């Protein structure tokens, strides 16, 4: 039996060697294919794997840019209402005064009160300067009121509103008219006449507008946001201020340094009729 078995092994030995070679070759081929099926994502430049990695990179870049934007926004905001609070209040007052004048010019044009097809840039600039002049006054007075009356009690809020209405409002109205009239190069007499004629109406409008707004300001906001809140509310209030300043209908003589005013010319029937049509 042993001889027969040994003979069979000798006879089939070449066949076994061939089978062993075939198995080794097949195993190596399968291993190579498997390594090709699982490539490294950072090596493959094309295909679905690269697309997934590329999309992941875009997401990381978007998150990084959003984080940087939020960080810079927070930094700028802290600087505006911290170290540069006075500058913020001055520029904010001027810009929102100019915005109110732009809205007023739009209203005048669409309702036939003005025939200009474009904005009056000089008038916008005068309103900007008039608002910027009031910025420091708001800044220091509001800081002073919060320093001497720090607690948000009803008594302190009422006292702040009274200070704002009895002192701040008249001073701001006077500053507004004298600044704009000075930039228009009007005479002092003409400025006084305009202020006397328009002050009661504007001051009455002030009492109807600002006590409620200032209650919210003094009750809920911090000191550093007071002037910004006032400027936002003033954007709508300045529309009426600008309208009353420029379209109230009171004739004002202009300084002789500009030139001869039309109001000093002898009135002709044609000019009188045109003036009547303009006022109506």
């Amino acid at each position: 039996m042993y001889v027969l078995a040994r003979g069979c092994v000798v006879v089939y030995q070449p066949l076994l060697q061939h089978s062993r070679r075939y198995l080794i070759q097949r195993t190596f081929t399968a291993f190579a294919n498997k390594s090709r099926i699982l490539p490294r994502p950072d090596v493959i430049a094309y295909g679905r794997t690269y697309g997934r990695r590329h999309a992941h990179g875009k997401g990381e870049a978007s998150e990084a840019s959003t984080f940087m934007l939020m960080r810079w926004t927070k930094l700028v905001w802290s600087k505006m209402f911290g170290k540069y609070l006075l500058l913020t209040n001055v520029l904010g007052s001027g810009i929102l005064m100019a915005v109110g004048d732009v809205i007023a010019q739009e209203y005048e044009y669409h309702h036939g009160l003005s025939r200009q097809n474009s904005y009056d840039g000089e008038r916008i600039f005068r309103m900007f300067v008039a608002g910027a002049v009031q910025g420091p006054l708001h800044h220091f007075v509001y800081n002073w009121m919060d320093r001497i009356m720090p607690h948000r009690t009803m008594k302190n809020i009422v006292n702040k509103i009274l200070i704002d209405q009895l002192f701040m409002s008249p001073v701001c109205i006077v500053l507004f008219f004298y600044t704009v009239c000075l930039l228009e190069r009007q005479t002092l007499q003409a400025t006084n006449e305009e202020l006397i004629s328009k002050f009661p109406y504007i001051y009455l409008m002030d009492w109807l507008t600002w006590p409620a707004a200032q209650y919210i300001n003094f009750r809920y906001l911090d000191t550093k946001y007071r002037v910004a809140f006032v400027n936002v509310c003033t954007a709508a209030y300045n529309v009426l201020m600008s309208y009353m300043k420029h379209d109230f209908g009171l004739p004002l003589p202009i300084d002789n340094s500009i030139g001869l005013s039309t109001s000093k010319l002898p009135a002709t029937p044609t000019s009188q009729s045109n003036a009547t049509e303009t006022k109506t």
Side-chain angles (χ1 to χ4, degrees):
M1 293 295 294
Y2 176 77
V3 174
L4 290 175
R6 186 178 179 83
C8 291
V9 170
V10 172
V11 172
Y12 291 101
Q13 187 173 6
L15 182 60
L16 291 173
Q17 291 177 355
H18 178 73
S19 300
R20 190 181 304 165
R21 193 183 305 113
Y22 175 76
L23 290 174
I24 294 173
Q25 184 178 2
R26 186 172 180 181
T27 304
F28 179 79
T29 304
F31 177 79
N33 291 333
K34 187 179 292 184
S35 64
R36 203 162 47 240
I37 292 173
L38 300 174
R40 290 178 57 187
D42 56 343
V43 174
I44 301 301
Y46 298 96
R48 195 174 301 171
T49 304
Y50 174 78
R52 287 198 298 269
R53 185 172 183 271
H54 186 65
H56 181 65
K58 286 181 64 177
E60 289 181 349
S62 178
E63 291 178 1
S65 61
T66 303
F67 174 76
M68 291 299 296
L69 180 61
M70 293 177 62
R71 182 178 178 182
W72 279 105
T73 302
K74 185 177 179 180
L75 179 63
V76 171
W77 185 269
S78 64
K79 293 292 185 181
M80 287 175 56
F81 293 95
K83 183 178 180 180
Y84 302 105
L85 180 60
L86 177 59
L87 180 62
T88 300
N89 292 335
V90 172
L91 292 179
S93 299
I95 290 172
L96 289 175
M97 181 72 79
V99 170
D101 183 67
V102 170
I103 299 174
Q105 291 190 36
E106 282 286 336
Y107 177 85
E108 294 165 9
Y109 175 75
H110 289 291
H111 288 77
L113 300 174
S114 176
R115 297 180 181 179
Q116 291 185 352
N117 296 325
S118 60
Y119 294 111
D120 188 350
E122 294 182 357
R123 170 176 158 179
I124 296 174
F125 174 75
R126 291 193 296 267
M127 297 295 287
F128 170 81
V129 174
V133 168
Q134 300 177 28
L137 178 65
H138 287 97
H139 175 84
F140 290 111
V141 171
Y142 288 147
N143 279 276
W144 170 76
M145 285 194 293
D146 286 338
R147 188 168 60 252
I148 65 173
M149 294 178 284
H151 302 292
R152 301 182 183 183
T153 61
M154 182 58 66
K155 179 180 179 181
N156 288 341
I157 293 174
V158 171
N159 289 333
K160 290 178 181 179
I161 292 175
L162 290 177
I163 293 174
D164 184 74
Q165 290 300 122
L166 298 176
F167 170 72
M168 289 287 290
S169 292
V171 172
C172 288
I173 294 172
V174 171
L175 277 177
F176 170 79
F177 274 96
Y178 276 97
T179 302
V180 175
C181 292
L182 177 64
L183 294 175
E184 291 177 346
R185 302 176 67 182
Q186 294 185 11
T187 61
L188 182 61
Q189 181 182 357
T191 303
N192 293 333
E193 291 177 0
E194 183 179 9
L195 180 61
I196 292 171
S197 63
K198 298 179 181 180
F199 182 85
Y201 300 95
I202 296 178
Y203 193 49
L204 176 62
M205 181 178 63
D206 198 280
W207 271 98
L208 296 175
T209 305
W210 284 108
Q214 293 291 37
Y215 173 81
I216 298 174
N217 191 6
F218 297 132
R219 177 67 177 83
Y220 298 105
L221 298 181
D222 293 335
T223 304
K224 59 184 178 180
Y225 298 126
R226 296 215 191 282
V227 180
F229 177 79
V230 169
N231 291 335
V232 172
C233 296
T234 305
Y237 177 79
N238 287 343
V239 177
L240 300 176
M241 287 281 290
S242 179
Y243 174 77
M244 294 187 72
K245 170 66 183 70
H246 298 98
D247 297 286
F248 197 75
L250 180 68
L252 297 174
I254 307 300
D255 193 0
N256 294 329
S257 59
I258 297 178
L260 186 61
S261 175
T262 55
S263 61
K264 298 180 180 179
L265 295 175
T268 59
T270 306
S271 63
Q272 291 179 354
S273 61
N274 291 336
T276 306
E277 293 176 359
T278 304
K279 291 182 180 180
T280 57

